[in-house]
Amino acid sequence: MMVILLLTHQLVEYALEAIKQGSAVVGLATKEYAVLVALKRNAEELGSYQKKIIKVDDHLGIALAGLAPDARVLSNFLREQALNQKMIFNRPLSTEKAATLLADKAQKNTQSYGGRPYGVGLLVIGYDETGAHLFEFQPSGSSLEYVGAAIGARSQAGRTYLERSFEAYANSTKEELIVHGLNALRDTLAQDKELNSKNTSISIVGKDIDFTLYDDDDVQQWLDRLDSVSNARTGVNNDNNDDDDNNDDNEEPTKKEGEDEEDKMETD
Amino acid sequence: MEHDPFRWGRPSDQAYGEYNNSIAHAGQQQSFPKMNTQQPIVTGTSVIAIKFKDGIVIAADNLGSYGSLARFTDVERLFPVGDHAVVGISGDISDLQYVSRLLEDLEIENNYDYDGHSLRAPHIHEYLQKVFYHRRSKMDPLWNSTIVGGLDDSGKPFLKYVDLLGVQYSAPTLATGFGAYLALPILRKVVFEEKDVEKIDEETARNAIKECMKVLFYRDARSLDKYSLITITKKNGVVFEKGLKSEEQSWRFAKDIKGYGTQKV
């Protein structure tokens, strides 16, 4: 029995690790708007980019870091719940309820033998009668509300940006909020990478705007708003070692010590 | 002499006929085709309601009739749900009790969330409509007509009807059962259409409802002069008045009614 308990516990740790393997997503919320920005990956040069942001309902959406198939299972579940709420009560699923439902579903996986936790972290944004909200969901079964959150590879740099600027964007317009999001996302990039219309996804929901997703060519208008320091990193934290561990985050986290390329799960 | 020990001490077939074994197995036996509710048994009569500028007033008497017998005189047929909603139920009392439990569960489940999303009258109505239509589709209806009242999402007065078929409609004055014939015309003199609601204050609405409850007691033989009344406003929330009595009754008209009773026509 002890062994099983130990295994389940470890699986959750692995699941949380899988999130860190996924590319970064950043979420921000004010009272009126919530924004998600995400960095998309393509498995190979000729391949398409993996979708990072999924619309759930007119007022609700998620961004994922980790195993994309698991995220699809969870987003289908959320869509079902949102439709149910619409059909039975004629009201939109509240953002907090959505996050709680996800957490409850994920927690069940952690306490059953033979099951595995979901290998994906989500940022959930939504707008309802209590305003705009941002929740971070983890496969351990926790979901907490934030005004700014970042998950995925090198997300600590994005979080650092948010920690520095969350007071500044508390009352900002939706345009400013997206730019703040892109700034945070840009900070998570490796030195040789930059944001472009192919690898960036943006979504917003809020007071006067349904959940809207910008991809590909629609992203350019937002990238154009980034300051002239260009797509390069802001350079405030060049040591790029501002997170809790002692690893040099300039290295791709997928190439950490002792990790066999073949063992690795495909995370996005 | 009975030689079978198994039959000792049992009523003799000679006196009572052969024992019907299905009696011992009643409950396990499913008759086919299955039979569902064909008619209400213990019933509650009309529920009446009216909108006024700040909210709604709704009333229902406390009688549970068993056919024409006034069997129960303390039945509560108004159920507040959440902070700004009430459901008034007429029709079968056992189904009323089932629905009231559904509403109770609904409120409890909603309170677990505690996320500032309160259950309001339109949500409760939508839910009830789904329950009623689902049950009629199973050919096992909940034998009730209900009025859901309260405040809608924007704090405006809300009144909507739904019945055993899942039929639903909204109006500034509503009544179920006999009330639809006896009370609605009186209520419509006060509020004829939606735009009249703005002109009516709580006092006027209450008086209209009280007058209607009296008329219903005069003319509806399955009614009682003891009733409950609920007023819902943004300011005061749900105000529940129980055990009200129809006052200043005058039965002088009764002697002129011909066609039944003791008088010769």
Side-chain angles (χ1 to χ4, degrees), chain B residues 78-82 85-87 107 230 238 240:
Chain B
L78 297 181
F79 300 94
V81 187
V86 60
V87 181
E107 191 174 351
I230 285 183
V238 176
F240 207 153

Side-chain angles (χ1 to χ4, degrees), chain A residues 85-97 100 128-131 133, chain B residues 106 109-110 113-120 122-124 126-128 130 153:
Chain A
Q85 196 75 224
K86 218 184 244 179
M87 189 186 79
I88 299 175
F89 296 107
N90 189 24
R91 66 173 176 183
L93 181 65
S94 86
T95 319
E96 183 172 346
K97 179 87 177 167
T100 315
D128 54 43
E129 58 181 289
T130 59
H133 297 281
Chain B
L106 188 68
E109 285 295 323
N110 194 260
D113 298 342
Y114 204 72
D115 53 3
H117 297 263
S118 54
L119 265 184
R120 286 181 296 270
H123 310 138
I124 292 157
E126 191 81 12
Y127 169 74
L128 269 188
K130 257 68 197 183
D153 297 354

